C-alpha cells in the first residue's frame, strides 16, 4: 500500500468500527479524485487479545452508537444485523481476518477499499460474521477476485504479516496525531494534514470538493 509521491489520503480504520462505516461514503468519494492515492491502515481494534464474542451487553453498548451513525451519515443498517448478528452469541468479533482479507484484495488487484466496503455492508446490513473465512471468501468473489488466488494470498498474509501491518498502522496513527478510528490524514511531501471526517459525515460531495481544493 505504498502510495509513492502522489498526494496521499492515509486512512486508519478498522473493519468492525461503526464510525468507519459512517465514513465509508467519504472514502468512496475520495477515490474518484484524479491524482489522489489512498493508503489503507487497518488498526486492529478488535484483534488479538481484544477480539470478543457478541454478548447482550455488547449489543446494548453499540446500539446507541449505531443509531447515531445512521442519523449523521445516512448509512443503512439491516434487521439481519440488529436482530440477527447482534443476538448471535456464537459470533466472534475479530478484526484480524477481515484485515487480512483487505490486504489480500489490495495485493491482488489494488481493491482493498472495495473489500472493506463489501465487508461493512456484509456486517451492518446483511448481519454476516466477517471474521469467518468462508464469508470472506464469498465477499472476495462478490467483488470479482479470483477465489483461489484470494485464498492463497490470504493464507500468505495471515498471522505475522497482518500483525506487522497493524503495528505499522498504529505507528501511522501516532505519526499523524490521530486518536482513534477513523483517522484521515492528507500527506503531500513533508506536509501532513489531519482531517476531521466527523465534520463531513453525510456530505460526501462537499468533502470531495474540499479534498480537491486541498490537493490542487
Amino acid at each position: 500500500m505504498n502510495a509513492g509521491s502522489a498526494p496521499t489520503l492515509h486512512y486508519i480504520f478498522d473493519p468492525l468500527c461503526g464510525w468507519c462505516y459512517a465514513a465509508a461514503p467519504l472514502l468512496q468519494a475520495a477515490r474518484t479524485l484524479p491524482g489522489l492515492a489512498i493508503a489503507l491502515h487497518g488498526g486492529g481494534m478488535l484483534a488479538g487479545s481484544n477480539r470478543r464474542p457478541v454478548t447482550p451487553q455488547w449489543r446494548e453498548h453499540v446500539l446507541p452508537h449505531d443509531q447515531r451513525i445512521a442519523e449523521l451519515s445516512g448509512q443503512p443498517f439491516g434487521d439481519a444485523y440488529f436482530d440477527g448478528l447482534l443476538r448471535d452469541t456464537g459470533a466472534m468479533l475479530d478484526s484480524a481476518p477481515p484485515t487480512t482479507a483487505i490486504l489480500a484484495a489490495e495485493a491482488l488487484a489494488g481493491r482493498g477499499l472495495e473489500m472493506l466496503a463489501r465487508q461493512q455492508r456484509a456486517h451492518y446490513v446483511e448481519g454476516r460474521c466477517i471474521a469467518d473465512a468462508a464469508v470472506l471468501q464469498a465477499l472476495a468473489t462478490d467483488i470479482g477476485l479470483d477465489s483461489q488466488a484470494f485464498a492463497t494470498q490470504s493464507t500468505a498474509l495471515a498471522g505475522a504479516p497482518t500483525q506487522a501491518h497493524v503495528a505499522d498502522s498504529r505507528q501511522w496513527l501516532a505519526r499523524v496525531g490521530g486518536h482513534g478510528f477513523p483517522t484521515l490524514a492528507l500527506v503531500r511531501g513533508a506536509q501532513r494534514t489531519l482531517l476531521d471526517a466527523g465534520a463531513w459525515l453525510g456530505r460526501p460531495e462537499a468533502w470531495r470538493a474540499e479534498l480537491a481544493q486541498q490537493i490542487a
Side-chain angles (χ1 to χ4, degrees):
M1 296 187 188
N2 181 7
S5 59
T8 302
L9 183 65
H10 288 266
Y11 181 36
I12 305 162
F13 70 94
D14 189 86
L16 291 168
C17 162
W19 290 102
C20 296
Y21 179 52
L26 305 185
L27 272 298
Q28 296 306 319
R31 69 182 299 210
T32 67
L33 277 173
L36 178 66
I38 298 178
L40 300 176
H41 306 280
M45 181 180 76
L46 293 176
S49 61
N50 291 324
R51 66 197 290 269
R52 56 175 302 137
V54 173
T55 62
Q57 293 78 15
W58 178 259
R59 185 177 188 274
E60 293 308 308
H61 170 71
V62 299
L63 278 178
H65 295 284
D66 292 338
Q67 288 159 359
R68 185 70 174 144
I69 288 163
E71 289 168 8
L72 288 174
S73 70
Q75 286 284 75
F77 288 80
D79 290 340
Y81 167 72
F82 285 134
D83 297 321
L85 183 61
L86 288 184
R87 295 188 187 279
D88 180 4
T89 54
M92 181 62 66
L93 300 170
D94 184 351
S95 301
T99 299
T100 299
I102 290 164
L103 294 175
E106 186 70 16
L108 282 175
R111 299 178 77 175
L113 190 59
E114 286 179 63
M115 174 57 89
L116 171 60
R118 185 66 190 92
Q119 289 174 357
Q120 289 169 326
R121 190 164 81 253
H123 180 78
Y124 289 107
V125 179
E126 299 162 9
R128 296 161 77 180
C129 181
I130 61 170
D132 184 271
V135 170
L136 293 170
Q137 192 72 31
L139 301 183
T141 303
D142 286 351
I143 67 167
L145 296 178
D146 178 80
S147 180
Q148 185 56 55
F150 174 77
T152 300
Q153 193 69 248
S154 294
T155 299
L157 290 168
T162 294
Q163 291 165 12
H165 171 82
V166 167
D168 181 70
S169 298
R170 295 300 182 107
Q171 290 177 359
W172 265 102
L173 188 64
R175 194 175 296 147
V176 301
H179 299 289
F181 312 116
T183 286
L184 286 154
L186 184 62
V187 176
R188 291 157 292 174
Q191 185 178 358
R192 297 173 185 154
T193 306
L194 192 63
L195 305 174
D196 181 10
W200 301 96
L201 293 180
R203 300 190 296 139
E205 289 308 313
W207 152 262
R208 185 186 186 281
E210 171 66 19
L211 268 184
Q213 188 173 13
Q214 291 210 30
I215 67 174

